[in-house]
Amino acid sequence: MRIIVYGSLRRKQGNSHWMTNAQWLGDMQIEGYALYSLGHYPGVIPGEGTVYCEVYRIDATTLGELDALRTKAGEYKRQLMQTPYGSAWLYVYQRPVKGRQRIASGDWLRRDDPPSDA
């Protein structure tokens, strides 16, 4: 099975250790989603925009661990999406984003970059 990660689970990020047993398949962009900062990690919701992601092959144990981390309090819900690497799970944020900072670049790795004037 495969998973799409867009924030703290990406390479060299704070929660990347959860992906130790995962196989990186490649980078991609998902259209029709907006990325928001939730503090130390982000959330995506359906909306206008592009979000930069990584796709991994994972085993059932890793998926179970990620579900416990992401879905236990109803914060995220898994959604199956098509990717260039086959279908993959995406964790979609389920709570209101009012008052949260939208990351206009759609890239968690560039969240601290100043907004573009373009």
Side-chain angles (χ1 to χ4, degrees):
M1 67 191 71
R2 288 168 290 278
I3 190 156
I4 302 166
V5 299
Y6 51 82
S8 65
L9 294 170
R10 288 174 70 181
R11 291 171 288 183
K12 300 180 183 176
Q13 296 301 298
N15 282 327
S16 62
H17 62 278
W18 289 96
M19 305 303 288
T20 302
N21 295 321
Q23 176 191 3
W24 176 76
L25 298 174
D27 297 326
M28 67 170 283
Q29 301 171 23
I30 54 174
E31 302 290 331
Y33 287 84
L35 184 69
Y36 284 85
S37 176
L38 307 175
H40 294 293
Y41 57 94
V44 297
I45 63 167
E48 286 188 30
T50 301
V51 177
Y52 293 84
C53 311
E54 297 169 1
V55 181
Y56 290 86
R57 178 172 287 118
I58 59 173
D59 59 23
T61 300
T62 301
L63 184 63
E65 292 169 348
L66 293 176
D67 277 352
L69 178 70
R70 294 288 181 226
T71 64
K72 65 182 175 192
E75 195 172 25
Y76 294 87
K77 182 177 180 181
R78 262 197 290 131
Q79 176 180 321
L80 197 58
M81 298 190 64
Q82 293 304 313
T83 78
Y85 312 99
S87 58
W89 292 109
L90 173 71
Y91 287 101
V92 179
Y93 191 61
Q94 297 298 300
R95 296 187 179 157
V97 294
K98 184 176 181 181
R100 301 286 189 173
Q101 177 191 355
R102 181 170 179 186
I103 300 169
S105 69
D107 189 345
W108 180 248
L109 303 183
R110 295 181 44 226
R111 65 191 175 277
D112 295 325
D113 288 359
S116 171
D117 291 336

